[in-house]
Amino acid sequence: MRGAALALTLALAFAAPALACNGPITRADYAQPTGRYPHGVLGDAEEWGALRLTCGGKRVTLVLPEDLVFEDIAPRLADLDRDGQPEVIVVESHRDRGARLAVWGRGPEGVGRRAATPFIGTRFRWLAPLGAADLDGDGTLEVAYVDRPHLARILRVWRYEDGGMTEIAAAPGFTNHRIGETDIAGGIRTCAGAPEMILTDPDWTAILAVRLQDGRLVAREIGPHRGRASFRSAMACRTP
């Protein structure tokens, strides 16, 4: 009964985020593996039912309702609003509407979900994050991901501001994941002072570096794709 009461308390707190979490979030990971969303895009039939945060020396666990899971490799910490306290970037997937990118963090009422992009709209449709950085040099961080890396292959860039997510750029012709892979390839690198997104073309033949310039996504080929070693070289500012 005690366990059931605790689960109910956390579920209600998730519905109206208000869990106390004193101090900045210093760690985030997923918890409570579940098979209730059998997509298997990341190589197995289990996703995650909860997000575990550490802040102010305290651990709190936020439990998703039954129609949601975290379909992701790991949460990502980034101070998206530049207030000195990191937010948590995650991928949430809905039983009927597929994936969305969500931002969790601290607010006046406690810790919980702060903003999210729209769901893709169809069950078993996923997105693969690249990370967060000030991609256009305006002092504000952007978040990038590939929308349906196995199907649509659209690179999307969103900005977290004023309590919401705003899409500022999108372009087709990119991917960073193949069905069954347990990791997400590439990411965001900074070479010679300029952030670039590292991906591949839809055929997995070339490594691409993409910059956000004047509201447009500008790509250039930087070497052939020869597996994960090519991505590691590119992320380390070496020729793949």
Side-chain angles (χ1 to χ4, degrees), residues 10-123:
L10 292 176
L12 291 174
F14 173 84
L19 283 184
C21 198
N22 299 319
I25 297 170
T26 57
R27 179 177 174 180
D29 49 40
Y30 295 127
Q32 300 186 14
T34 175
R36 64 179 182 245
Y37 187 73
H39 189 190
V41 73
L42 289 165
D44 59 39
E46 286 193 334
E47 308 304 340
W48 304 98
L51 178 65
R52 190 165 50 209
L53 305 177
T54 301
C55 46
K58 178 180 179 181
R59 301 292 297 276
V60 297
T61 301
L62 298 120
V63 179
L64 290 174
E66 286 295 312
D67 58 356
L68 283 173
V69 297
F70 293 108
E71 190 176 16
D72 199 2
I73 303 297
R76 301 150 191 85
L77 295 182
D79 185 5
L80 297 177
D81 55 10
R82 296 291 180 92
D83 68 349
Q85 300 191 35
E87 282 72 44
V88 185
I89 304 166
V90 299
V91 180
E92 300 175 358
S93 289
H94 187 274
R95 177 181 57 208
D96 304 316
R97 293 181 281 173
R100 69 180 176 186
L101 189 97
V103 176
W104 292 60
R106 295 180 65 234
E109 73 282 9
V111 64
R113 188 190 298 110
R114 315 308 309 167
T117 66
F119 289 107
I120 290 172
T122 302
R123 176 179 173 86

Side-chain angles (χ1 to χ4, degrees), residues 5 14 16 75 137 159 194 235:
F14 173 84
R159 182 169 291 146
M235 291 294 293

